Amino acid sequence: MSTPDIIDTLAGIKPGSALDAIRAHRVQARDNAQKSYLSLFEPIDASDFSLVERAAVAAFVTGLHGESPVAAFYRSKLAASTDGARLVEAIEAEIARGKTSGPYGSFPAGPLSVENTAGLIYRVSAERRSALGPRLGAALEHAHLLVFRPRDASSADMKALLGAGWSNTGIVTFSQLVAFLSFQLRVVSGLRTLAAVNA
Amino acid sequence: MSTVNPPVVFTQDELGWVSWIEPLPEAELTERHFAGLVDRARAKSEYFRLLVRDPEVLEARTKTDKDIFYNVADGLPRAERELAAAATSRYNGCIYCASVHARFASTYSKRRDDVQRLLDEGLKADLGERWNAVVKASVALAATPIAFGPDNIAELRRAGLDDAEIVDVINGASFFNWANRLMLSLGEPSK
Protein backbone atom coordinates (compact mmCIF):
# COMPACT_ATOMS: atom_id res chain seq x y z
CA MET A 1 0.00 0.00 0.00
CA SER A 2 1.40 3.41 -0.94
CA THR A 3 0.32 5.34 2.18
CA PRO A 4 1.55 3.78 5.45
CA ASP A 5 -1.24 2.30 7.55
CA ILE A 6 -2.41 5.16 9.73
CA ILE A 7 -3.58 3.04 12.70
CA ASP A 8 -0.28 1.11 12.74
CA THR A 9 1.64 4.38 12.55
CA LEU A 10 -0.32 6.07 15.36
CA ALA A 11 -0.31 2.94 17.55
CA GLY A 12 3.43 2.39 16.96
CA ILE A 13 2.95 -1.13 15.53
CA LYS A 14 6.12 -2.34 13.80
CA PRO A 15 6.16 -4.81 10.89
CA GLY A 16 6.91 -8.29 12.21
CA SER A 17 5.71 -7.53 15.76
CA ALA A 18 3.17 -9.69 17.59
CA LEU A 19 0.41 -7.11 17.10
CA ASP A 20 1.26 -6.79 13.42
CA ALA A 21 0.69 -10.55 13.14
CA ILE A 22 -2.62 -10.34 15.00
CA ARG A 23 -3.79 -7.45 12.80
CA ALA A 24 -2.86 -9.51 9.72
CA HIS A 25 -5.69 -11.90 10.70
CA ARG A 26 -8.16 -9.05 10.12
CA VAL A 27 -6.70 -7.87 6.84
CA GLN A 28 -10.04 -6.65 5.44
CA ALA A 29 -10.71 -4.62 8.58
CA ARG A 30 -7.20 -3.20 8.55
CA ASP A 31 -7.28 -2.25 4.84
CA ASN A 32 -10.76 -0.78 5.03
CA ALA A 33 -10.09 1.27 8.16
CA GLN A 34 -7.24 2.71 6.07
CA LYS A 35 -9.56 3.26 3.07
CA SER A 36 -12.04 4.98 5.40
CA TYR A 37 -9.31 7.35 6.52
CA LEU A 38 -8.26 8.05 2.92
CA SER A 39 -11.81 8.57 1.67
CA LEU A 40 -12.40 11.11 4.47
CA PHE A 41 -9.12 13.00 4.28
CA GLU A 42 -8.16 12.52 0.62
CA PRO A 43 -11.65 12.41 -0.92
CA ILE A 44 -12.35 12.35 -4.63
CA ASP A 45 -14.93 15.11 -4.10
CA ALA A 46 -14.57 17.70 -1.32
CA SER A 47 -17.21 20.12 -2.64
CA ASP A 48 -19.68 19.54 0.22
CA PHE A 49 -17.05 19.50 3.01
CA SER A 50 -13.74 21.24 2.31
CA LEU A 51 -10.35 19.78 3.19
CA VAL A 52 -9.60 22.56 5.68
CA GLU A 53 -12.98 22.04 7.36
CA ARG A 54 -12.23 18.31 7.63
CA ALA A 55 -8.85 19.01 9.20
CA ALA A 56 -10.30 21.57 11.64
CA VAL A 57 -13.10 19.24 12.77
CA ALA A 58 -10.60 16.36 13.14
CA ALA A 59 -8.22 18.47 15.25
CA PHE A 60 -11.15 19.54 17.45
CA VAL A 61 -12.60 16.03 17.89
CA THR A 62 -9.30 14.31 18.64
CA GLY A 63 -8.22 17.17 20.92
CA LEU A 64 -11.44 16.82 22.95
CA HIS A 65 -10.33 13.26 23.76
CA GLY A 66 -7.14 14.60 25.40
CA GLU A 67 -3.55 14.83 24.24
CA SER A 68 -2.43 11.73 22.30
CA PRO A 69 -0.43 10.82 19.19
CA VAL A 70 -3.75 10.92 17.31
CA ALA A 71 -4.54 14.47 18.48
CA ALA A 72 -1.01 15.62 17.60
CA PHE A 73 -1.34 14.05 14.14
CA TYR A 74 -4.56 15.88 13.29
CA ARG A 75 -3.34 19.17 14.77
CA SER A 76 -0.32 18.95 12.42
CA LYS A 77 -2.64 18.07 9.56
CA LEU A 78 -4.64 21.24 10.21
CA ALA A 79 -1.50 23.38 10.47
CA ALA A 80 -0.28 21.96 7.14
CA SER A 81 -3.55 22.32 5.22
CA THR A 82 -4.22 25.23 2.91
CA ASP A 83 -5.66 28.09 4.99
CA GLY A 84 -5.48 25.83 8.07
CA ALA A 85 -2.61 27.37 10.08
CA ARG A 86 -4.72 30.43 10.94
CA LEU A 87 -7.29 28.12 12.58
CA VAL A 88 -4.97 26.16 14.87
CA GLU A 89 -5.04 28.67 17.72
CA ALA A 90 -8.82 29.07 17.59
CA ILE A 91 -9.36 25.30 17.55
CA GLU A 92 -6.97 24.84 20.50
CA ALA A 93 -8.86 27.49 22.47
CA GLU A 94 -12.21 25.86 21.66
CA ILE A 95 -10.87 22.44 22.70
CA ALA A 96 -9.92 23.91 26.09
CA ARG A 97 -13.43 25.32 26.48
CA GLY A 98 -15.14 22.11 25.32
CA LYS A 99 -13.22 19.45 27.27
CA THR A 100 -15.38 17.37 29.61
CA SER A 101 -16.24 13.71 30.32
CA GLY A 102 -18.85 11.63 28.49
CA PRO A 103 -21.08 10.04 27.44
CA TYR A 104 -23.90 12.02 29.04
CA GLY A 105 -27.30 13.28 27.90
CA SER A 106 -30.97 12.33 27.93
CA PHE A 107 -32.91 9.26 26.90
CA PRO A 108 -36.40 9.42 25.35
CA ALA A 109 -38.85 10.27 28.17
CA GLY A 110 -39.84 7.10 30.02
CA PRO A 111 -38.26 4.46 32.26
CA LEU A 112 -34.74 5.39 31.11
CA SER A 113 -35.14 9.02 32.22
CA VAL A 114 -33.64 8.06 35.59
CA GLU A 115 -30.35 7.50 33.73
CA ASN A 116 -30.32 11.02 32.25
CA THR A 117 -27.06 12.79 33.04
CA ALA A 118 -26.56 16.53 32.66
CA GLY A 119 -23.35 17.96 31.23
CA LEU A 120 -21.81 20.75 29.20
CA ILE A 121 -23.84 22.01 26.24
CA TYR A 122 -20.93 23.46 24.28
CA ARG A 123 -21.30 26.58 22.15
CA VAL A 124 -18.51 28.27 20.19
CA SER A 125 -17.27 31.38 22.02
CA ALA A 126 -18.62 34.70 20.78
CA GLU A 127 -15.13 36.10 20.10
CA ARG A 128 -14.14 33.20 17.82
CA ARG A 129 -17.45 32.76 16.05
CA SER A 130 -16.60 35.23 13.28
CA ALA A 131 -13.08 33.84 12.73
CA LEU A 132 -14.49 30.33 12.36
CA GLY A 133 -17.48 31.37 10.27
CA PRO A 134 -21.03 29.98 10.46
CA ARG A 135 -20.33 26.60 8.81
CA LEU A 136 -17.36 25.67 10.98
CA GLY A 137 -18.97 27.14 14.11
CA ALA A 138 -22.04 24.94 13.63
CA ALA A 139 -19.78 21.97 12.83
CA LEU A 140 -17.80 22.29 16.07
CA GLU A 141 -20.98 22.51 18.14
CA HIS A 142 -22.40 19.43 16.45
CA ALA A 143 -19.08 17.54 16.71
CA HIS A 144 -19.03 18.22 20.46
CA LEU A 145 -22.54 16.76 20.72
CA LEU A 146 -21.46 13.67 18.76
CA VAL A 147 -18.37 13.17 20.92
CA PHE A 148 -19.91 13.60 24.37
CA ARG A 149 -23.69 13.30 24.20
CA PRO A 150 -24.74 11.54 20.99
CA ARG A 151 -27.99 10.37 22.62
CA ASP A 152 -29.10 14.03 22.82
CA ALA A 153 -29.09 14.40 19.03
CA SER A 154 -32.40 15.48 17.51
CA SER A 155 -33.84 16.56 14.18
CA ALA A 156 -33.32 20.18 15.33
CA ASP A 157 -29.55 19.58 15.20
CA MET A 158 -29.86 18.57 11.54
CA LYS A 159 -31.85 21.76 10.87
CA ALA A 160 -29.12 23.82 12.56
CA LEU A 161 -26.48 22.34 10.24
CA LEU A 162 -28.67 22.83 7.15
CA GLY A 163 -29.31 26.41 8.29
CA ALA A 164 -25.57 27.06 8.61
CA GLY A 165 -25.03 26.07 4.98
CA TRP A 166 -24.35 22.32 5.21
CA SER A 167 -25.86 20.15 2.45
CA ASN A 168 -27.41 16.75 3.12
CA THR A 169 -24.35 15.10 1.56
CA GLY A 170 -22.01 17.32 3.58
CA ILE A 171 -23.80 16.31 6.80
CA VAL A 172 -23.38 12.61 5.97
CA THR A 173 -19.63 12.95 5.34
CA PHE A 174 -19.18 15.19 8.38
CA SER A 175 -21.03 12.67 10.61
CA GLN A 176 -18.92 9.84 9.19
CA LEU A 177 -15.73 11.79 9.88
CA VAL A 178 -16.54 12.45 13.54
CA ALA A 179 -17.82 8.90 14.06
CA PHE A 180 -14.81 7.37 12.26
CA LEU A 181 -12.40 9.34 14.45
CA SER A 182 -14.26 8.02 17.54
CA PHE A 183 -13.38 4.54 16.23
CA GLN A 184 -9.81 5.29 15.17
CA LEU A 185 -8.90 6.95 18.50
CA ARG A 186 -10.12 3.87 20.40
CA VAL A 187 -8.43 1.27 18.23
CA VAL A 188 -5.15 3.19 18.54
CA SER A 189 -5.56 3.61 22.30
CA GLY A 190 -6.48 -0.06 22.80
CA LEU A 191 -3.61 -1.37 20.68
CA ARG A 192 -1.08 0.98 22.34
CA THR A 193 -2.24 -0.21 25.76
CA LEU A 194 -1.90 -3.85 24.74
CA ALA A 195 1.57 -3.24 23.27
CA ALA A 196 2.68 -1.43 26.43
CA VAL A 197 1.48 -4.26 28.68
CA ASN A 198 3.47 -6.74 26.56
CA ALA A 199 6.64 -4.62 26.33
CA MET B 1 -41.32 9.09 5.67
CA SER B 2 -42.96 6.63 8.03
CA THR B 3 -44.64 7.60 11.29
CA VAL B 4 -42.20 7.55 14.18
CA ASN B 5 -43.15 5.64 17.31
CA PRO B 6 -39.87 5.80 19.24
CA PRO B 7 -39.02 3.05 21.74
CA VAL B 8 -38.35 4.34 25.26
CA VAL B 9 -36.56 1.26 26.66
CA PHE B 10 -33.73 -1.00 25.48
CA THR B 11 -35.16 -4.04 23.72
CA GLN B 12 -34.18 -7.08 21.66
CA ASP B 13 -37.20 -6.54 19.41
CA GLU B 14 -36.74 -5.61 15.75
CA LEU B 15 -36.99 -1.84 15.31
CA GLY B 16 -37.28 0.44 12.32
CA TRP B 17 -35.19 3.57 11.78
CA VAL B 18 -36.29 6.86 10.23
CA SER B 19 -33.90 9.44 8.77
CA TRP B 20 -34.04 13.12 9.72
CA ILE B 21 -32.47 14.23 6.44
CA GLU B 22 -33.09 13.11 2.87
CA PRO B 23 -31.82 9.72 1.73
CA LEU B 24 -31.07 9.39 -1.99
CA PRO B 25 -34.09 8.17 -3.96
CA GLU B 26 -33.62 4.62 -5.22
CA ALA B 27 -34.10 5.81 -8.79
CA GLU B 28 -31.05 8.08 -8.54
CA LEU B 29 -28.57 5.39 -7.51
CA THR B 30 -25.69 4.86 -9.95
CA GLU B 31 -23.07 2.11 -10.16
CA ARG B 32 -20.82 4.23 -7.93
CA HIS B 33 -23.58 4.16 -5.28
CA PHE B 34 -24.16 0.42 -5.63
CA ALA B 35 -20.44 -0.15 -5.08
CA GLY B 36 -20.78 1.90 -1.89
CA LEU B 37 -23.75 -0.15 -0.70
CA VAL B 38 -21.67 -3.38 -1.06
CA ASP B 39 -24.91 -5.44 -0.90
CA ARG B 40 -27.36 -4.25 -3.59
CA ALA B 41 -30.29 -5.20 -1.35
CA ARG B 42 -29.32 -2.32 0.93
CA ALA B 43 -30.83 0.05 -1.65
CA LYS B 44 -34.15 -0.75 0.09
CA SER B 45 -32.89 0.65 3.43
CA GLU B 46 -33.43 4.33 4.26
CA TYR B 47 -30.32 4.31 6.46
CA PHE B 48 -28.03 3.00 3.73
CA ARG B 49 -29.57 5.24 1.05
CA LEU B 50 -28.70 8.14 3.32
CA LEU B 51 -25.12 7.03 4.02
CA VAL B 52 -24.55 6.29 0.32
CA ARG B 53 -24.47 10.06 -0.26
CA ASP B 54 -20.76 9.42 0.43
CA PRO B 55 -20.30 6.04 -1.29
CA GLU B 56 -16.53 5.69 -0.77
CA VAL B 57 -16.63 6.01 3.00
CA LEU B 58 -19.74 3.83 3.25
CA GLU B 59 -18.05 1.05 1.27
CA ALA B 60 -14.91 1.13 3.42
CA ARG B 61 -16.93 1.35 6.64
CA THR B 62 -19.14 -1.61 5.67
CA LYS B 63 -16.14 -3.80 4.82
CA THR B 64 -14.43 -2.86 8.10
CA ASP B 65 -17.62 -3.80 9.97
CA LYS B 66 -18.02 -7.15 8.18
CA ASP B 67 -14.46 -8.28 8.87
CA ILE B 68 -14.50 -7.24 12.54
CA PHE B 69 -17.76 -9.07 13.24
CA TYR B 70 -18.04 -11.92 10.72
CA ASN B 71 -14.47 -13.12 10.19
CA VAL B 72 -14.53 -15.97 12.69
CA ALA B 73 -11.76 -18.18 11.29
CA ASP B 74 -10.03 -17.40 14.59
CA GLY B 75 -10.22 -14.98 17.52
CA LEU B 76 -13.18 -14.16 19.71
CA PRO B 77 -16.44 -16.15 19.37
CA ARG B 78 -19.14 -14.28 17.45
CA ALA B 79 -21.37 -13.97 20.55
CA GLU B 80 -18.74 -12.01 22.46
CA ARG B 81 -18.04 -9.63 19.57
CA GLU B 82 -21.78 -8.93 19.57
CA LEU B 83 -21.69 -8.52 23.35
CA ALA B 84 -19.00 -5.83 22.97
CA ALA B 85 -21.21 -4.08 20.39
CA ALA B 86 -24.31 -4.32 22.58
CA ALA B 87 -22.52 -3.09 25.72
CA THR B 88 -21.02 -0.12 23.85
CA SER B 89 -24.44 0.75 22.43
CA ARG B 90 -26.07 0.42 25.87
CA TYR B 91 -23.48 2.78 27.34
CA ASN B 92 -23.63 5.37 24.54
CA GLY B 93 -27.43 5.19 24.60
CA CYS B 94 -28.13 3.84 21.10
CA ILE B 95 -31.42 1.94 21.48
CA TYR B 96 -31.41 0.92 17.81
CA CYS B 97 -27.86 -0.52 17.69
CA ALA B 98 -28.35 -2.19 21.08
CA SER B 99 -31.50 -3.94 19.83
CA VAL B 100 -29.75 -5.43 16.79
CA HIS B 101 -26.60 -6.55 18.55
CA ALA B 102 -28.25 -7.74 21.75
CA ARG B 103 -30.40 -9.94 19.49
CA PHE B 104 -27.28 -11.30 17.76
CA ALA B 105 -25.54 -11.85 21.12
CA SER B 106 -28.57 -13.84 22.30
CA THR B 107 -28.72 -15.90 19.12
CA TYR B 108 -25.05 -16.90 19.22
CA SER B 109 -24.68 -17.35 23.00
CA LYS B 110 -28.13 -18.82 23.80
CA ARG B 111 -28.01 -16.56 26.90
CA ARG B 112 -31.00 -14.38 26.08
CA ASP B 113 -31.85 -13.65 29.72
CA ASP B 114 -28.32 -12.48 30.53
CA VAL B 115 -28.32 -10.25 27.47
CA GLN B 116 -31.69 -8.84 28.53
CA ARG B 117 -30.25 -8.08 32.00
CA LEU B 118 -27.51 -6.06 30.34
CA LEU B 119 -30.23 -4.05 28.58
CA ASP B 120 -32.48 -3.71 31.66
CA GLU B 121 -29.95 -3.20 34.44
CA GLY B 122 -27.24 -1.57 32.37
CA LEU B 123 -23.52 -2.00 32.75
CA LYS B 124 -23.70 -3.05 36.40
CA ALA B 125 -25.45 -6.36 35.59
CA ASP B 126 -23.37 -9.35 36.80
CA LEU B 127 -23.02 -11.66 33.78
CA GLY B 128 -20.16 -13.85 34.99
CA GLU B 129 -16.41 -13.23 34.88
CA ARG B 130 -15.83 -13.52 31.13
CA TRP B 131 -18.76 -11.41 30.00
CA ASN B 132 -18.20 -8.89 32.80
CA ALA B 133 -14.62 -8.39 31.56
CA VAL B 134 -15.80 -7.86 27.96
CA VAL B 135 -18.51 -5.40 29.03
CA LYS B 136 -16.16 -3.47 31.32
CA ALA B 137 -13.46 -3.20 28.65
CA SER B 138 -16.02 -2.03 26.07
CA VAL B 139 -17.36 0.65 28.40
CA ALA B 140 -13.85 1.84 29.32
CA LEU B 141 -13.06 2.22 25.61
CA ALA B 142 -16.31 4.10 24.93
CA ALA B 143 -15.73 6.69 27.65
CA THR B 144 -14.35 10.10 26.66
CA PRO B 145 -11.59 10.60 27.68
CA ILE B 146 -10.89 6.93 26.89
CA ALA B 147 -10.57 5.01 30.18
CA PHE B 148 -9.27 1.69 28.80
CA GLY B 149 -6.05 0.67 30.54
CA PRO B 150 -3.76 -2.20 31.65
CA ASP B 151 -6.33 -3.27 34.27
CA ASN B 152 -8.85 -4.02 31.53
CA ILE B 153 -6.31 -6.17 29.72
CA ALA B 154 -5.39 -8.01 32.94
CA GLU B 155 -9.08 -8.67 33.58
CA LEU B 156 -9.66 -9.98 30.05
CA ARG B 157 -6.66 -12.29 30.41
CA ARG B 158 -7.86 -13.60 33.77
CA ALA B 159 -11.16 -14.38 32.06
CA GLY B 160 -9.24 -16.50 29.52
CA LEU B 161 -8.88 -14.22 26.49
CA ASP B 162 -5.63 -14.30 24.51
CA ASP B 163 -4.20 -11.26 22.71
CA ALA B 164 -5.94 -12.00 19.39
CA GLU B 165 -9.27 -12.18 21.24
CA ILE B 166 -8.49 -8.97 23.12
CA VAL B 167 -7.86 -7.24 19.79
CA ASP B 168 -11.31 -8.44 18.68
CA VAL B 169 -12.85 -6.85 21.79
CA ILE B 170 -10.98 -3.61 21.02
CA ASN B 171 -12.10 -3.66 17.37
CA GLY B 172 -15.73 -4.59 18.12
CA ALA B 173 -16.20 -2.04 20.88
CA SER B 174 -14.34 0.69 18.97
CA PHE B 175 -16.39 0.09 15.84
CA PHE B 176 -19.62 0.70 17.73
CA ASN B 177 -18.43 4.14 18.72
CA TRP B 178 -18.56 4.78 14.98
CA ALA B 179 -21.92 3.06 14.36
CA ASN B 180 -23.73 4.52 17.41
CA ARG B 181 -22.88 8.09 16.44
CA LEU B 182 -24.37 7.65 12.95
CA MET B 183 -27.57 5.94 14.09
CA LEU B 184 -28.14 8.38 16.96
CA SER B 185 -27.53 11.60 15.08
CA LEU B 186 -28.96 11.11 11.59
CA GLY B 187 -32.38 9.77 12.55
CA GLU B 188 -34.30 7.83 15.17
CA PRO B 189 -35.60 4.34 15.86
CA SER B 190 -39.27 3.46 15.52
CA LYS B 191 -41.17 0.52 16.97
Side-chain angles (χ1 to χ4, degrees):
Chain A
M1 195 174 292
S2 52
T3 315
D5 185 88
I6 189 72
I7 287 175
D8 284 342
T9 304
L10 294 173
I13 293 172
K14 302 274 182 293
S17 66
L19 279 180
D20 177 49
I22 288 173
R23 277 182 48 78
H25 285 248
R26 297 285 175 272
V27 67
Q28 285 286 329
R30 190 185 214 171
D31 288 353
N32 284 289
Q34 178 73 358
K35 282 183 186 165
S36 301
Y37 166 77
L38 292 172
S39 63
L40 288 165
F41 291 96
E42 298 173 23
I44 56 172
D45 178 3
S47 56
D48 289 282
F49 186 11
S50 73
L51 294 179
V52 67
E53 286 171 335
R54 292 173 197 234
V57 171
F60 182 68
V61 164
T62 56
L64 287 175
H65 285 75
E67 195 44 52
S68 71
V70 185
F73 173 80
Y74 286 105
R75 188 171 53 231
S76 305
K77 194 175 205 41
L78 175 60
S81 50
T82 308
D83 201 31
R86 69 173 183 92
L87 290 170
V88 173
E89 212 175 277
I91 295 292
E92 289 288 306
E94 290 303 311
I95 289 167
R97 293 181 63 249
K99 261 192 191 168
T100 182
S101 302
Y104 53 90
S106 297
F107 286 96
L112 289 167
S113 297
V114 294
E115 292 186 34
N116 289 355
T117 322
L120 174 67
I121 310 293
Y122 162 84
R123 294 288 175 255
V124 169
S125 64
E127 71 262 34
R128 276 178 290 274
R129 194 169 280 281
S130 61
L132 293 166
R135 273 177 64 93
L136 200 47
L140 297 190
E141 289 172 358
H142 192 70
H144 191 278
L145 177 147
L146 287 179
V147 169
F148 289 110
R149 51 185 188 102
R151 62 179 174 254
D152 274 350
S154 73
S155 58
D157 297 300
M158 295 290 100
K159 293 194 181 89
L161 286 171
L162 291 166
W166 287 85
S167 65
N168 286 303
T169 297
I171 290 172
V172 167
T173 303
F174 164 66
S175 305
Q176 286 276 19
L177 183 133
V178 177
F180 165 77
L181 290 169
S182 305
F183 160 81
Q184 189 188 53
L185 278 156
R186 286 168 174 84
V187 173
V188 168
S189 170
L191 295 175
R192 284 190 86 88
T193 305
L194 187 54
V197 165
N198 288 340
Chain B
M1 284 201 189
S2 30
T3 308
V4 180
N5 177 22
V8 296
V9 292
F10 285 96
T11 173
Q12 298 189 48
D13 294 347
E14 286 196 38
L15 300 174
W17 185 91
V18 181
S19 177
W20 285 325
I21 56 176
E22 290 165 32
L24 289 182
E26 251 187 282
E28 284 179 23
L29 300 179
T30 65
E31 281 311 309
R32 177 179 168 223
H33 296 122
F34 283 114
L37 288 168
V38 182
D39 301 329
R40 283 184 94 89
R42 288 185 164 178
K44 297 288 173 204
S45 152
E46 190 163 299
Y47 178 63
F48 289 112
R49 275 190 289 108
L50 176 64
L51 292 185
V52 84
R53 285 180 171 278
D54 189 328
E56 286 76 33
V57 73
L58 176 61
E59 179 180 0
R61 193 200 84 107
T62 300
K63 290 178 173 173
T64 308
D65 179 1
K66 282 180 184 284
D67 199 44
I68 289 174
F69 286 94
Y70 296 107
N71 179 354
V72 286
D74 54 16
L76 201 63
R78 187 92 165 74
E80 287 161 348
R81 302 186 203 196
E82 297 295 345
L83 178 67
T88 303
S89 305
R90 178 66 178 83
Y91 184 56
N92 281 328
C94 188
I95 292 174
Y96 184 87
C97 295
S99 74
V100 174
H101 297 278
R103 209 159 57 234
F104 284 156
S106 289
T107 301
Y108 290 105
S109 69
K110 315 284 181 218
R111 291 174 59 181
R112 192 177 194 285
D113 292 348
D114 284 336
V115 172
Q116 190 60 39
R117 286 175 49 229
L118 173 73
L119 297 182
D120 293 343
E121 298 168 27
L123 294 318
K124 63 182 187 298
D126 182 2
L127 308 175
E129 186 189 15
R130 191 172 162 106
W131 277 26
N132 286 349
V134 171
V135 169
K136 214 165 142 185
S138 303
V139 167
L141 268 171
T144 307
I146 298 163
F148 183 86
D151 290 353
N152 295 109
I153 289 171
E155 205 166 42
L156 289 165
R157 283 182 176 164
R158 274 198 302 277
L161 278 75
D162 64 23
D163 281 7
E165 293 175 314
I166 291 172
V167 170
D168 284 337
V169 173
I170 292 169
N171 279 337
S174 296
F175 186 82
F176 267 77
N177 284 282
W178 188 348
N180 291 165
R181 285 178 171 82
L182 296 176
M183 301 289 333
L184 281 169
S185 74
L186 294 170
E188 64 187 310
S190 179
K191 280 191 277 194

